[in-house]
């Protein structure tokens, strides 16, 4: 089933882009209007270097499991068979989804049909009466901002790779400012947050905290409906069992963002594949399916 990815109607931009006022398309910039022009290239390199370094040592067992290479070795790496639902957020979810899709490929060796990263919402204290959490919409249905949620990317990964994904997450901040790459996105909807089963009690939490400390960030236990983290250095950590991930609308998935050149139709069309295979579903929110 085919559908359109509509960028002009719904934007990862100012929170004023809903209600009776028609959303305005924000001007495209090249990753902070080339503010990080020189550092932008180094950021890309550092992310890929990080993936390359970790890929060689920690992802081997997960790759064998995901691709059924030498099943006899499965008994030697039982942790690779277990997976957990986690999420990460730092500003608009379009760019973050693209980056974590690449991380799934590089860390876990996943192919197009095995990718799990989806744009969505988390960190709020409630849903509407039908269990929905939706993007800003003209009908005013289950607005995620009013419900206290932030934009995140949810994924299913082995617990043994949480440290890898956490380290990668912290490379997604601007190397120049240490903040999200688009400060024009303001409010709690764009706060920095991480969701783990058990939150700060997760067995891998210490490694996530070490990754945060290494880049000057402080992890704070989220209480739900928390304020923006911009210029605070804080990253909220939520128990994903108490504050679950709510997948976003279909039109938000595998979307180009306004901070980078278009990702290309091969990337955009992954949404069609995921929808047709049932790995991505409608949410009951206003959508374009």
């Amino acid at each position: 089933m085919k559908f359109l990815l509509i960028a002009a109607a719904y934007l990862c931009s100012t929170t004023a882009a809903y209600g009776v006022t028609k959303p305005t398309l924000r001007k495209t910039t090249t990753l902070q209007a080339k503010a990080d022009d020189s550092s932008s290239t180094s950021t890309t390199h550092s992310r890929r270097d990080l993936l390359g370094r970790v890929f060689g040592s920690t992802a081997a067992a997960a790759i064998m499991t995901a691709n059924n290479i030498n099943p006899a070795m499965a008994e030697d790496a039982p942790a690779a068979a277990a997976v957990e639902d986690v999420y990460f957020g730092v500003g608009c979810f379009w760019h973050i989804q693209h980056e974590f899709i690449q991380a799934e490929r590089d860390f876990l060796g996943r192919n197009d049909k095995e990718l799990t990263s989806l744009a969505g919402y988390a960190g709020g204290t409630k849903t509407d009466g039908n269990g929905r959490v939706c993007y800003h919409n003209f009908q005013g249905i289950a607005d995620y901002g009013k419900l206290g949620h932030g934009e995140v990317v949810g994924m299913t990964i082995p617990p043994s790779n949480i440290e890898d994904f956490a380290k990668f997450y912290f490379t997604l901040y601007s190397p120049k400012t240490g903040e999200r790459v688009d400060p024009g996105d303001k409010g709690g909807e764009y706060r920095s947050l991480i969701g783990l089963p058990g939150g700060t009690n997760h067995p891998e939490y210490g490694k996530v905290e070490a990754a945060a400390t290494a880049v000057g960030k402080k992890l704070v236990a989220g209480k739900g409906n928390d304020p923006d983290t911009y210029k605070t250095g804080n990253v909220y950590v939520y128990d994903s069992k108490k504050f679950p991930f709510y997948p976003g609308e279909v039109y938000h998935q595998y979307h180009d963002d306004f901070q980078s050149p278009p990702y290309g139709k091969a990337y955009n069309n992954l949404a069609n594949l995921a929808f047709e295979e049932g790995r991505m579903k409608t949410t009951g929110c206003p959508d374009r399916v």
Side-chain angles (χ1 to χ4, degrees), residues 5-284:
L5 297 174
I6 306 297
Y10 300 92
L11 305 177
C12 285
S13 140
T14 170
T15 57
Y18 60 94
V20 295
T21 306
K22 185 177 180 181
T24 345
L25 184 65
R26 74 177 182 230
K27 293 182 180 179
T28 303
T29 59
T30 54
L31 199 58
Q32 280 294 80
K34 280 195 175 180
D36 300 339
D37 189 31
S38 59
S39 55
S40 172
T41 303
S42 64
T43 302
T44 302
H45 288 168
S46 66
R47 291 177 198 163
R48 299 297 173 250
D49 291 345
L50 170 65
L51 290 170
R53 289 197 303 272
V54 181
F55 179 78
S57 58
T58 62
I63 293 171
M64 289 188 293
T65 301
N67 293 281
N68 294 318
I69 300 174
N70 193 0
M73 296 182 65
E75 294 182 0
D76 296 329
V83 292
E84 293 181 340
D85 295 327
V86 301
Y87 53 78
F88 297 89
V90 50
C92 177
F93 48 26
W94 288 344
H95 174 65
I96 305 305
Q97 182 187 24
H98 176 268
E99 296 302 292
F100 275 112
I101 286 293
Q102 188 61 42
E104 284 193 74
R105 295 185 191 281
D106 291 342
F107 284 136
L108 306 178
R110 288 177 174 168
N111 61 41
D112 288 354
K113 295 187 176 184
E114 297 169 327
L115 298 170
T116 65
S117 293
L118 291 175
Y121 317 102
T125 56
K126 54 187 176 181
T127 65
D128 77 348
N130 295 312
R132 295 177 296 185
V133 177
C134 306
Y135 194 69
H136 310 310
N137 58 86
F138 296 127
Q139 296 95 318
I141 298 172
D143 185 297
Y144 80 103
K146 295 180 179 179
L147 294 171
H149 295 272
E151 294 191 12
V152 299
V153 174
M155 65 208 69
T156 304
I157 62 175
S160 58
N161 286 99
I162 287 178
E163 179 184 12
D164 305 335
F165 277 74
K167 287 181 177 179
F168 181 71
Y169 164 73
F170 287 111
T171 71
L172 302 181
Y173 291 75
S174 166
K176 183 176 181 180
T177 66
E179 302 292 342
R180 53 181 177 258
V181 296
D182 186 4
D185 289 333
K186 298 182 184 300
E189 293 100 314
Y190 303 105
R191 64 190 183 266
S192 297
L193 65 164
I194 296 173
L196 304 170
T200 58
N201 293 318
H202 189 281
E204 297 294 307
Y205 174 75
K207 296 176 182 178
V208 177
E209 186 174 40
T213 301
V215 296
K217 295 293 183 182
K218 179 182 179 182
L219 300 188
V220 178
K223 298 178 180 179
N225 196 18
D226 297 291
D228 200 354
T229 53
Y230 187 63
K231 290 190 175 180
T232 67
N234 293 336
V235 178
Y236 295 113
V237 178
Y238 296 94
D239 181 346
S240 57
K241 294 180 179 179
K242 295 180 180 178
F243 299 93
F245 171 72
Y246 295 91
E249 295 82 348
V250 170
Y251 72 84
H252 274 309
Q253 309 301 334
Y254 300 94
H255 204 298
D256 293 332
D257 67 58
F258 295 135
Q259 302 303 312
S260 310
Y263 297 130
K265 292 199 177 293
Y267 174 77
N268 301 147
N269 289 338
L270 289 173
N272 292 333
L273 178 64
F275 189 78
E276 291 167 356
E277 293 186 342
R279 290 180 287 112
M280 181 171 64
K281 305 178 184 298
T282 55
T283 62

